[in-house]
Amino acid sequence: MPRAQAPSLRHELIVAIAPVFLGGFLFTALIETYKDDMTSRKDLVLDFYRPMRDQQAECRATEQQLASAYQTEAGTYRLMLNELDHMVAADPATRARGYEVLPQSLLESNSKVLAQIGELAPKLTLCTQVLYRKYEEVALATATYDEFTKIGEQRDAAVQPLYGQRATLLNQLSNQFTSESLMNTLRDSFLMNDDTADGRNAIKAKVHAIGDPAIGFYTQLARNEADILKVEQEVDKKLITLYAKKVNRRYERGVFSALWPW
């Protein structure tokens, strides 16, 4: 019976080194894949998720400021009408010197609030457009576009009636008067010729005819903006929950799931 041939030194070396070589190659590939996966997750947060949250915070702060400005405007008109009523009821001869400082101060405050509203309204519109583009980008990056579309449709169904309500209020206001005409009327009233009670009462009636509706208008606008904000905050909550779960799930994955995600 022939003796078995002893394995060559070369064969033994190959048998000994191959597992080490293959294991090292597999480990290196595993680490590199894991590093690439971690980089992609970091990019998702830095390039998509964080800018979305920053834009979201800016929009909601602007919306709160706008609702507050509408309410402040209503309050300022009420103060001016109350001051006018006081001037009409009092005898002009009994007014202290420099009495006109207060009504002039109210007029200046009102002008500043109107200017603030004029800046905030278009700023909010643009901010909202940018925010929803970022929402869409994160949805694409996290493979949640279908869920995003569904939430967006629910948001549109809730917010469109509120936008319609706002448009109706604006049309009603523009058909009655403009902010400039109202301010001019109020300004003239504080400089009125109030020698007679009848003259003062006539000016009071004229100012209240436009001032009272303006107060109601801005009060309703403030309420309308607050209702819209409530809808948007609910959408924010849903989308943050959706996106955060997806991003967090990627960070929970270990080394082996980086290679075999299934």
Side-chain angles (χ1 to χ4, degrees), residues 69-82:
Y70 284 141
Q71 194 61 57
T72 300
E73 184 69 0
T76 304
Y77 278 131
R78 173 53 63 192
L79 286 174
M80 288 191 292
L81 290 183
N82 289 343

Side-chain angles (χ1 to χ4, degrees), residues 12-262:
E12 290 182 352
L13 286 175
I14 292 176
V15 171
I17 294 175
V20 177
F21 176 79
L22 292 176
F25 178 79
L26 178 62
F27 182 76
T28 301
L30 185 66
I31 293 300
E32 290 301 318
T33 302
Y34 181 70
K35 286 166 60 178
D36 291 342
D37 188 66
M38 288 299 296
T39 299
S40 68
R41 298 177 204 174
K42 184 178 179 181
D43 291 342
L44 175 61
V45 172
L46 296 180
D47 296 340
F48 294 96
Y49 188 77
R50 185 178 298 174
M52 178 205 75
R53 293 301 306 271
D54 291 342
Q55 186 72 26
Q56 182 187 83
E58 179 183 345
C59 291
R60 299 303 161 250
T62 302
E63 197 156 13
Q64 289 174 341
Q65 292 171 6
L66 181 58
S68 178
Y70 284 141
Q71 194 61 57
T72 300
E73 184 69 0
T76 304
Y77 278 131
R78 173 53 63 192
L79 286 174
M80 288 191 292
L81 290 183
N82 289 343
E83 185 61 24
L84 174 66
D85 292 345
H86 179 70
M87 292 174 62
V88 168
D91 185 349
T94 64
R95 293 180 195 154
R97 181 176 298 179
Y99 180 81
E100 69 279 357
V101 172
L102 178 58
Q104 288 297 332
S105 176
L106 290 173
L107 286 170
E108 291 174 4
S109 297
N110 193 60
S111 296
K112 290 179 181 179
V113 176
L114 284 173
Q116 183 184 25
I117 291 173
E119 294 175 359
L120 289 173
K123 179 182 177 181
L124 176 59
T125 298
L126 178 60
C127 187
T128 301
Q129 292 172 351
V130 174
L131 175 60
Y132 274 86
R133 283 200 297 270
K134 291 185 180 298
Y135 278 156
E136 184 177 26
E137 291 172 355
V138 178
L140 292 172
T142 57
T144 56
Y145 191 80
D146 289 343
E147 294 94 325
F148 161 72
T149 300
K150 183 178 179 180
I151 293 173
E153 290 173 351
Q154 294 172 348
R155 177 258 184 189
D156 290 344
V159 84
Q160 287 303 326
L162 296 173
Y163 283 153
Q165 183 184 58
R166 178 200 290 173
T168 299
L169 289 171
L170 291 171
N171 288 334
Q172 290 175 350
L173 176 69
S174 62
N175 289 335
Q176 294 184 39
F177 48 77
T178 64
S179 297
E180 291 77 12
S181 67
L182 178 56
M183 285 296 295
N184 290 334
T185 300
L186 290 169
R187 190 176 291 108
D188 292 343
S189 70
F190 289 129
L191 302 174
M192 63 187 175
N193 181 8
D194 53 1
D195 292 337
T196 66
D198 289 342
R200 295 194 298 271
N201 286 327
I203 294 178
K204 174 182 176 180
K206 179 180 179 181
V207 172
H208 273 273
I210 59 175
D212 289 332
I215 292 171
F217 164 74
Y218 282 108
T219 299
Q220 291 181 73
L221 266 183
R223 190 179 301 117
N224 173 266
E225 200 64 52
D227 290 340
I228 293 174
L229 175 60
K230 191 178 299 183
V231 172
E232 296 289 16
Q233 287 175 328
E234 185 63 27
V235 172
D236 295 342
K237 182 179 178 180
K238 291 179 180 178
L239 290 177
I240 290 172
T241 300
L242 174 66
Y243 297 151
K245 284 182 178 179
K246 284 289 185 177
V247 174
N248 185 64
R249 192 173 301 158
R250 293 191 182 188
Y251 277 95
E252 287 179 342
R253 288 163 49 185
V255 175
F256 288 100
S257 62
L259 279 180
W260 300 289
W262 54 86

